[in-house]
Amino acid sequence: MLDTYRPLETPEGVEIGLRVAGPVPRLYAALLDLMLRAGLDLLLAIATGQLGRAGVGLFLVGLFLVEWFYPVLFEVLRGGATPGKRALGLLVLQRDGTPVGWTASILRNLVRFADFLPFAYGFGLAAMLVDRDFRRLGDLAAGTVVVHREAAAVGHRVPAAPPLPPPLPLALDEQRAVVEFAERLGAWPEARAVELADLLTPLTGAPGAAGVPRLVGMANWLLGRR
């Protein structure tokens, strides 16, 4: 565990800890996702099998979408983890510990074709074995890392609250600011917390003290607590 623990310090001085996932748990997660995708492909084949030539076209389109967008949708919309990764307690993050976004997730998954070369995930495995954070080529291109879920919360002192999705997309530095507000909440006088929350009324839609719990809820959502 010590060899895979990565302490990180954000530009604002908040320390977080990540424990990167090695090739073995990632392989098991990939096999689970492969079986799930195969099941979806089978259902798609059954659904389109009676539609003749049109069905063949629909099947090929569906096959493409399942293969390339199955991981992207789960990584971005479901807290950084496909079902296989979630079952193994893994998730994808930006290398600075913030949640993965659309651009990074699409890029890391499009580069999978290079990871598969020349066969059996050869280049991807080789990249993981020489990188200290076990990143495949897609991770290197997208600036992402796969970590153990329980370790992703180490260093995060965000109070538990019902997760609240932000009403608009947030840049990485804005996501960090929301998380760090919730982390430092207990260290500030209440008046200071209310003052800062009031500055974020355009985001929370609630002025003053009413914005504080909304920011904590957004921080929980950004940390993947669903």
Side-chain angles (χ1 to χ4, degrees):
M1 181 179 296
L2 291 177
D3 291 339
T4 60
Y5 182 79
R6 302 289 183 266
L8 297 175
E9 184 173 318
T10 70
E12 291 77 10
V14 175
E15 184 174 300
I16 62 174
L18 305 175
R19 186 160 66 91
V20 296
V24 174
R26 292 181 65 174
L27 173 62
Y28 290 149
L31 290 175
L32 286 174
D33 284 323
L34 179 62
M35 289 188 289
L36 287 171
R37 291 203 308 274
L40 290 174
D41 292 340
L42 178 59
L43 292 175
L44 185 63
I46 294 172
T48 58
Q50 305 300 318
L51 301 179
R53 290 185 177 180
V56 174
L58 290 173
F59 175 73
L60 292 176
V61 171
L63 202 65
F64 173 84
L65 293 175
V66 168
E67 180 63 30
W68 293 106
F69 289 96
Y70 165 97
V72 173
L73 293 175
F74 277 107
E75 287 174 3
V76 177
L77 300 179
R78 298 296 296 170
T82 60
K85 286 187 175 68
R86 189 173 298 275
L88 271 292
L90 309 177
L91 74 158
V92 181
L93 295 174
Q94 299 288 156
R95 204 178 180 197
D96 61 2
T98 55
V100 67
W102 287 104
T103 300
S105 182
I106 290 172
L107 180 57
R108 77 182 297 273
N109 284 290
L110 286 178
V111 180
R112 274 192 299 147
F113 79 90
D115 283 304
F116 280 121
L117 297 174
F119 60 89
Y121 230 87
F123 286 167
L125 181 59
M128 292 172 69
L129 292 177
V130 300
D131 184 78
R132 70 184 298 266
D133 292 332
F134 304 114
R135 292 176 296 162
R136 62 176 177 83
L137 298 179
D139 291 314
L140 292 169
T144 56
V145 63
V146 179
V147 302
H148 290 276
R149 178 175 294 274
E150 69 274 12
V154 174
H156 287 307
R157 298 169 297 279
V158 174
L164 178 67
L168 46 86
L170 300 179
L172 290 180
D173 57 339
E174 294 170 331
Q175 294 179 24
R176 281 198 296 265
V178 172
V179 171
E180 287 160 11
F181 171 88
E183 286 178 333
R184 301 182 184 186
L185 191 58
W188 288 325
E190 182 179 354
R192 176 58 173 163
V194 171
E195 178 185 358
L196 292 173
D198 201 42
L199 296 175
L200 295 174
T201 299
L203 174 64
T204 63
V212 173
R214 294 184 66 84
L215 287 171
V216 174
M218 290 179 197
N220 276 265
W221 190 90
L222 290 171
L223 290 175
R225 300 173 183 172
R226 303 287 193 268

